Amino acid sequence: MSETGLHHVTAFSGPAGRNLDFYTRVLGLRLVKKTVNFDDPGTYHLYYGDAAGRPGSILTFFPIAHAGPGRAGIGETQETALRVPRASIGWWAHRLVESGVRHEAPVHVFGEPTLRFRDPDGTMLALVGVAEGGAAPAWAGGGVPAGHAIRGLHGVTLLLAEGEATAAILTGVFGFREDGREGTATRYSGGATPGGHVTLRAVGPFLPGRQGAGSVHHIAFRAADDAAQAAMAEALRDRHGLAVTEQRDRQYFRSVYFRESGGVLFEIATDAPGFAVDEPEAALGEALMLPPGLERHRAEIEAALPALA
Ligand code: ZN
């Protein structure tokens, strides 16, 4: 089995300009694509990642100016963790304070130094210091020096009533294996870097989450190509009895979606074609990019979108 992991994490946010400022200026990620929600073209879809927007480095948002806040609960992603060099955790604690972002006291989670905080909409984030972090490629164009820059996703934590059925999908379909337990949390690793970890936190019956600003809408796993994606979809249908959508062309990857047994919306996204398919890598994120089907509506779409600072 090849290495496997997350492709991207997608959340709802409040105003687009505030979201852009936080992820590019405070966290120093690169805006790798500025497009619209293909299912709702009056809304931006902003993609942040490393310099090339590699699979496993991507966080995406649907910003809605007047979105009500979400409520954390079961059947949702509780926390999204990002990788930084292990020696940089102290630097980041200082940067967050300087930027007016409150963080929790640093803790060790599965042996790794972890700094938890929230984005301006309440999305729970963590920076995790990893020993090999400094060797990974970094984006230094956003004001965070390359030596400290975020190196993509570390993983996500899902809050569930019980974890067995979700664990069976991770291990039986996506090729993850259990690599640690702490309290109510069990961590699974797919081996890919970045984005190789999914932690299941099983807490029993509890209030379900309600989606809104600050909520993660779905998480996406990587598929090497269409054939690998089709094989996973078949296993999900045949062995787990789950309804999987037909493949949808998302311009930068091709996707299928299903709601896993614990209630979380999962996507499987292909590595290809990537973010340089419609603009050069050097100019990623600078222009509003629209898929061919929406290009003829560009004038109306641009008029309806809020200005980005
Ligand atoms: Zn997605």
Side-chain angles (χ1 to χ4, degrees):
M1 189 83 199
S2 58
E3 292 183 342
T4 180
L6 296 167
H7 185 285
H8 65 267
V9 173
T10 293
F12 291 115
S13 79
R18 188 176 70 183
N19 178 264
L20 178 70
D21 182 69
F22 184 81
Y23 283 93
T24 60
R25 190 188 58 77
V26 178
L27 296 188
L29 298 178
R30 185 177 192 188
L31 177 67
V32 294
K33 194 62 63 180
K34 181 164 57 178
T35 184
V36 294
N37 180 347
F38 296 173
D39 301 322
D40 175 18
T43 303
Y44 276 118
H45 193 180
L46 303 179
Y47 290 75
Y48 306 104
D50 66 9
R54 290 178 307 151
S57 77
I58 304 295
L59 264 173
T60 99
F61 292 88
F62 297 126
I64 300 166
H66 302 293
R71 182 187 67 204
I74 59 168
E76 279 194 345
T77 297
Q78 182 183 34
E79 179 181 284
T80 301
L82 301 159
R83 298 161 64 83
V84 297
R86 196 173 179 111
S88 298
I89 282 286
W91 185 91
W92 274 102
H94 186 68
R95 179 175 183 81
L96 292 175
V97 170
E98 259 188 342
S99 305
V101 179
R102 283 212 308 271
H103 63 78
E104 296 180 12
V107 289
H108 277 76
V109 180
F110 294 107
E112 294 165 327
T114 300
L115 192 61
R116 293 186 164 123
F117 58 102
R118 292 172 182 270
D119 84 354
D121 294 298
T123 305
M124 286 184 64
L125 301 171
L127 294 174
V128 178
V130 291
E132 72 278 25
W139 169 248
V144 172
H148 298 303
I150 288 170
R151 264 68 174 185
L153 292 164
H154 187 59
V156 291
T157 300
L158 309 182
L159 192 65
L160 304 170
E162 47 188 74
E164 287 79 6
T166 307
I169 293 168
L170 291 177
T171 57
V173 179
F174 291 144
F176 282 64
R177 57 185 160 63
E178 185 180 322
D179 81 344
R181 289 185 184 223
E182 265 185 25
T184 57
T186 307
R187 191 170 83 165
Y188 297 84
S189 173
T193 303
H197 297 292
V198 175
T199 298
L200 305 184
R201 188 176 291 282
V203 294
F206 204 70
L207 271 183
R210 187 184 60 215
Q211 297 264 295
S215 302
V216 171
H217 181 252
H218 65 266
I219 62 171
F221 292 84
R222 292 174 65 176
D225 53 28
D226 291 335
Q229 183 188 63
M232 291 181 210
E234 188 181 314
L236 289 163
R237 291 187 191 104
D238 294 352
R239 301 210 303 266
H240 297 271
L242 292 168
V244 183
T245 67
E246 292 303 301
Q247 191 189 65
R248 293 178 195 162
D249 184 357
R250 295 311 192 188
Q251 185 78 358
Y252 311 107
F253 39 86
R254 295 178 293 277
S255 299
V256 300
Y257 301 83
F258 65 99
R259 197 166 292 281
E260 58 84 31
S261 316
V264 184
L265 185 60
F266 279 8
E267 172 181 351
I268 307 171
T270 55
D271 281 0
F275 293 99
V277 70
D278 58 359
E279 59 185 342
E281 190 172 310
L284 289 178
E286 289 174 12
L288 177 71
M289 303 309 296
L290 297 174
L294 290 176
E295 194 56 57
R296 65 200 160 92
H297 300 296
R298 175 175 284 272
E300 307 148 55
I301 289 171
E302 285 184 346
L305 290 169
L308 285 179

